[in-house]
Amino acid sequence: MDLDCGKYYPEYATQAVRQGKVTEAEIDASLKNLIIVLLRLGWFDGNPGGYSRLGKNDICSPAHLELSAEAARQGIVLLKNDKNALPLVVGTGKPKFAVVGPHANSTVAMIGNYAIKSGVTCHYSKPTDAIAEYGDVIYAAGCQGVKCPNGDGIGQAVQASKQADATFIFVGLDLSVEAESLDRNDLNFPGFQKALITQISEAATKPVIVVIFSAGGIDISFLQQDPKVQAIIWAGYPGAEGGRAIADVIFGKHNPAGRLPITWYPASYIDNFPMTSMPLRPVPESKYPGRTYKFYNGSTIYPFGYGLSYTTFRYAIRSVTNPVMVDLGKFQQCKQIQFLDGRKTDCPATLVDESQCMQVVTVKAMVTNTGKRDGAHVVLVYSIPPSGIAGAPIKRLVAFKRVFLVAGTSQVVPFNLNACRDFSIIADDAYELLPSGQHTIIVGNGNDAVTAQFTIGFNHN
């Protein structure tokens, strides 16, 4: 990073240069970047870009509030939608909605961590207010904050649910549970939140939708298996306009297309290794599982990249550049890599930093909206290195694009991937290597994914 807003760089950068860990040229490059930003802001002209004249009305314009709402809409992930419970259809008359849970009337909790350091939010769209646009709201917190230390308010929330045509339970975490310098103790809902959800669902005769605010994953396997919880939405920390964005998804103004940016593990995952274990790769001798979608192949609550839509999509790979020949420099050496079967090849890999590598792997994926609703879709592209390499990742995300498709239409989505950077692996000694051999491209996630193979070889000059 060019800038450290704390004290680490001022205290240690000079020492790092003296020890040869950082060069003066690297510091000069970062300084140049920072000065260019200051120049663009007019910092040296006596008038910092006129920004000092900007006020609340400039920041809180309708266009900016809509941008905040749209960012939240695009980030919302639909995790469960049994029997197409969502989007919720509002019939004639004015329905009653129970909006319950510690986040039901949320404001500051929606903006997450770093936003609280940048100023006062000019407007909040609370879940209760946003849902009230579609019907009469019966509100009950059910818990005293997200830590939910007792079940004293659960009965009131259950009664609210019994009076309603649908119940929305807003639960999850906040900065009192997870934050920078504040680690979680487990992967469960805090306190009595689980009891709040289960008691409402047990008494429910109408749809129950659970909305989760959190940054980290939560073991919600009990919700996956509960037939009365018909839909689950993960909103992350959706920002100040989060309530409006969530309501737009629930009532069908927006077709969700968000994808999970992390793996959601079962609660038992944390029992498999100590907190002091840092490797991402599995450690077989200690029976530690791997971390992240790249190395962990155990059971998950939801995998990285998961996300449902109100429509359906189908993939096909139209073409992939094959073969791809990478030119090696005159004095560039081949690097050995370890194979699980102990085999040796003439030139199994080369250092990426020593390669010019202008070769491009072009992948053309066709995406078809096979459902009945228009919607956006995020196309994920993964690479898999040649088989049998010790310590290699299971797969690696190398590209993604968001496309919008009218129901029943198709679109060819091209991806231009760098042959070295997008198909490399990191060796145990931290060098980035490009393996030769047969690589695999995956487009999509899970059972809907499609694959294609191509070969990377080396030209020796």
Side-chain angles (χ1 to χ4, degrees):
M1 296 177 64
D2 292 323
L3 178 65
D4 170 27
C5 295
K7 59 182 182 179
Y8 196 88
Y9 283 6
E11 289 187 2
Y12 297 107
T14 301
Q15 183 181 350
V17 171
R18 288 172 179 165
Q19 293 179 2
K21 296 179 178 179
V22 178
T23 66
E24 287 190 42
E26 289 171 320
I27 291 182
D28 289 344
S30 292
L31 182 61
K32 179 181 177 181
N33 291 339
L34 295 174
I35 290 175
I36 288 173
V37 172
L38 292 174
L39 284 168
R40 289 173 176 169
L41 292 173
W43 195 261
F44 302 110
D45 300 329
N47 178 23
Y51 294 114
S52 60
R53 295 194 299 270
L54 296 178
K56 180 177 179 179
N57 291 335
D58 300 291
I59 298 170
C60 299
S61 66
H64 290 172
L65 295 177
E66 174 57 27
L67 179 62
S68 175
E70 179 60 18
R73 292 185 198 107
Q74 291 194 19
I76 288 171
V77 182
L78 181 62
L79 297 177
K80 178 180 179 180
N81 194 24
D82 283 357
K83 299 178 181 178
N84 296 318
L86 296 182
L88 199 64
V89 177
V90 179
T92 57
K94 200 166 188 181
K96 289 184 178 180
F97 298 127
V99 185
V100 304
H103 280 311
N105 213 27
S106 186
T107 55
V108 175
M110 292 193 298
I111 64 177
N113 197 336
Y114 289 97
I116 62 176
K117 301 177 181 179
S118 60
V120 178
T121 302
C122 58
H123 177 264
Y124 286 109
S125 173
K126 299 188 291 185
T128 48
D129 292 343
I131 293 172
E133 297 290 322
Y134 297 87
D136 292 330
V137 165
I138 309 168
Y139 166 67
C143 285
Q144 298 174 0
V146 299
K147 291 186 177 180
C148 204
N150 57 61
D152 293 349
I154 294 178
Q156 184 181 1
V158 171
Q159 290 303 314
S161 177
K162 289 180 177 180
Q163 302 173 53
D165 297 300
T167 299
F168 306 105
I169 310 175
F170 284 80
V171 288
L173 314 176
D174 66 9
L175 300 186
S176 70
V177 178
E178 59 172 5
E180 186 174 7
S181 77
L182 179 61
D183 295 322
R184 294 164 62 189
N185 296 318
D186 55 51
L187 296 178
N188 298 310
F189 280 118
F192 281 75
Q193 283 195 40
K194 181 177 179 180
L196 170 68
I197 299 168
T198 54
Q199 289 186 38
I200 289 175
S201 71
E202 287 171 358
T205 58
K206 300 293 178 63
V208 175
I209 292 92
V210 174
V211 182
I212 300 170
F213 289 1
S214 75
I218 301 171
D219 187 338
I220 58 172
S221 52
F222 74 100
L223 292 180
Q224 290 176 314
Q225 300 159 9
D226 188 339
K228 289 190 175 181
V229 174
Q230 297 182 348
I232 306 171
I233 290 171
W234 181 70
Y237 293 122
E241 295 299 307
R244 174 156 63 109
I246 292 166
D248 286 346
V249 168
I250 288 173
F251 294 102
K253 283 189 175 181
H254 178 80
N255 189 348
R259 300 297 194 100
L260 285 181
I262 57 173
T263 302
W264 282 33
Y265 302 98
S268 59
Y269 177 74
I270 66 168
D271 300 325
N272 294 328
F273 49 85
M275 195 173 187
T276 52
S277 170
M278 292 293 110
L280 292 181
R281 293 179 175 88
V283 184
E285 58 270 23
S286 302
K287 298 183 179 180
Y288 295 170
R291 284 174 166 83
T292 81
Y293 73 94
K294 291 184 179 181
F295 297 102
Y296 175 74
N297 63 0
S299 62
T300 65
I301 304 302
Y302 290 107
F304 171 88
Y306 182 86
L308 301 176
S309 169
Y310 294 153
T311 187
T312 54
F313 297 91
R314 185 179 67 242
Y315 300 111
I317 297 178
R318 299 291 295 272
S319 64
V320 177
T321 305
N322 186 39
V324 177
M325 301 302 296
V326 176
D327 296 326
L328 301 186
K330 184 176 181 180
F331 301 105
Q332 188 171 348
Q333 297 182 352
C334 296
K335 302 294 290 186
Q336 291 299 318
I337 52 180
Q338 181 182 356
F339 288 92
L340 296 173
D341 59 6
R343 70 180 183 269
K344 301 289 184 181
T345 61
D346 290 339
C347 191
T350 186
L351 278 173
V352 169
D353 284 346
E354 293 181 355
S355 306
Q356 296 295 326
C357 210
M358 302 301 293
Q359 290 81 359
V360 172
V361 180
T362 298
V363 180
K364 292 183 178 180
M366 187 170 73
V367 186
T368 303
N369 183 339
T370 56
K372 298 180 180 180
R373 295 178 64 97
D374 303 344
H377 186 63
V378 179
V379 185
L380 305 176
V381 179
Y382 299 90
S383 68
I384 299 179
S387 63
I389 299 175
I394 299 168
K395 63 179 181 179
R396 169 190 170 199
L397 182 71
V398 292
F400 63 90
K401 286 183 181 178
R402 179 182 287 258
V403 296
F404 186 87
L405 290 171
V406 173
T409 65
S410 300
Q411 181 177 336
V412 174
V413 185
F415 295 90
N416 294 318
L417 309 174
N418 181 274
C420 283
R421 298 293 180 184
D422 292 325
F423 299 95
S424 63
I425 62 172
I426 305 299
D428 287 339
D429 56 7
Y431 283 106
E432 186 179 12
L433 305 179
L434 175 64
S436 62
Q438 190 175 74
H439 291 249
T440 302
I441 288 285
I442 303 177
V443 177
N445 262 32
N447 295 331
D448 296 329
V450 293
T451 64
Q453 294 179 326
F454 70 101
T455 300
I456 291 180
F458 300 137
N459 287 324
H460 299 268
N461 295 325

